[in-house]
Amino acid sequence: MSTEPNTAGWDAIDKEFVKLYGDQEPKHYGTLISYALGGPDPLDGISAYKTDEPVPHWHFVTYGFSELYDKESDNPEESGYGFELTFRLDRGAEEEEPPAWAINLLQNMGRYVFNSGNIFRSGDYMDANGPICLGSDTRLTALAFIRDPELPAIDTPNGRVEFIQMVGITRDELEAMQTWNTLGMLSACLPYMPKYITNLSRDSLLKVEAVTEAAEKGMREDGSNTGFLFVDQLEWEPGKKSWMRKTTPAVLTLGAKQAGIIGKLLQGRILKGKDLTLVGPEVRVIFKAGEEPEFAAGEGEVRIILNEQAAGELSRGLVPKKSVLEIPSLQGMVFGIVKTDIKDSEGNVVEVIG
């Protein structure tokens, strides 16, 4: 005898899309071999619905971040990771099949979550370090995350599930989100990006005066919500005393790609009395506001105290260009900025910054 599998979690997701699209049969892409059994795709499935409101687009939803079948996790409040991703993508008038790259992108988000354990929440962002559609000339090189405007959180038999929409953004829009906040920036963009529909051919919305004014006002009044930043190129070399009793300064090395944004973040954090933590492969650097500039290094951690003057000097000096920066009020250390190689998915250098 065989019994039907329990699909209560899956059915709860389907029910929400029936409310939006009625009896429309979506384009669905499943997996032949489950991830648990060695298959390449971590998500059990992805569906894409066609809609013409407010403009023709695909509305994708994932199946697999939440518990689709029986309850397995120990947390009764949330189903699995507690969310599923959605993605709205501009659709051509004659387009009958959703593009494969979008399916692959959503599966890649699954690989990231399943391998790292990091989850997506409304207000998060991610730098894709290249076009979100590989091989295209789109300016969209990063992703932001916000609650889907048409899908409230649901309670399923396996726990709560939120629908988090993924939004393609440009490099300068990402920087604006980092120096202000993601939800504020997306809200400013909404009149020019209805329902947060991703359009590969669009230009930066920071070219719209109203959006730029909102971002600048937000940073000036609110500061930055980015308290932690993961930095690929981050190294610390302690100062050394030579045989002539001269001391070489300690060196904090940063990559050119992130030097500029770190400078802007210092303005939005230290000048508002907030900490900024940089997390690198082997060291963590914590910038804190204080009265007298100083630094102290311990095992795997460096603490740097900046007053308003030192924060301003450092912020102005951190630019995406190879250089060595000395801060007069912060004695005993220098900041080294080195070139950053931007590589494609095959490891080829496609851009050098600095």
Side-chain angles (χ1 to χ4, degrees), residues 7-64:
T7 59
W10 190 301
D11 295 341
I13 297 169
D14 283 348
K15 183 178 179 180
E16 296 306 302
F17 278 81
V18 168
K19 294 178 184 178
L20 289 181
Y21 302 116
D23 59 359
Q24 179 185 154
E25 188 70 27
K27 302 288 184 179
H28 185 76
Y29 302 86
T31 55
L32 294 176
I33 304 175
S34 75
Y35 201 59
L37 296 177
D41 297 323
L43 301 176
D44 286 25
I46 296 170
S47 284
Y49 292 81
K50 287 176 66 175
T51 179
D52 294 322
E53 297 297 332
V55 297
H57 68 278
W58 296 104
H59 192 183
F60 296 85
V61 61
T62 63
Y63 295 81

Side-chain angles (χ1 to χ4, degrees), residues 171-236:
R171 181 184 292 180
D172 58 347
E173 291 166 356
L174 171 64
E175 291 187 359
M177 291 175 185
Q178 292 172 321
T179 54
W180 179 23
N181 68 71
T182 301
L183 299 183
M185 182 62 185
L186 285 176
S187 178
C189 292
L190 186 57
Y192 314 96
M193 187 169 52
K195 291 189 180 178
Y196 307 114
I197 296 169
T198 294
N199 185 332
L200 290 180
S201 63
R202 76 169 176 86
D203 206 343
S204 170
L205 291 177
L206 283 167
K207 292 187 176 181
V208 178
E209 185 176 357
V211 176
T212 299
E213 289 178 352
E216 291 176 348
K217 180 182 178 182
M219 179 182 171
R220 185 172 60 251
E221 295 182 356
D222 306 332
S224 170
N225 273 9
T226 303
F228 289 81
L229 188 67
F230 293 95
V231 183
D232 293 335
Q233 293 172 281
L234 184 68
E235 296 180 8
W236 172 257

Side-chain angles (χ1 to χ4, degrees), residues 124-160:
D124 288 346
Y125 54 74
M126 171 182 281
D127 190 346
N129 291 315
I132 62 171
C133 174
L134 294 178
S136 73
D137 60 357
T138 180
R139 294 179 180 272
L140 307 183
T141 58
L143 298 163
F145 299 86
I146 190 170
R147 292 184 182 90
D148 190 297
E150 290 189 312
L151 293 164
I154 59 174
D155 290 316
T156 77
N158 294 329
R160 190 171 187 268

Side-chain angles (χ1 to χ4, degrees), residues 313-336:
E313 293 171 348
L314 182 54
S315 179
R316 290 188 295 271
L318 288 176
V319 295
K321 183 178 180 181
K322 183 179 179 181
S323 61
V324 175
L325 174 63
E326 297 184 30
I327 304 301
S329 56
L330 190 61
Q331 296 294 315
M333 70 170 294
V334 298
F335 296 82

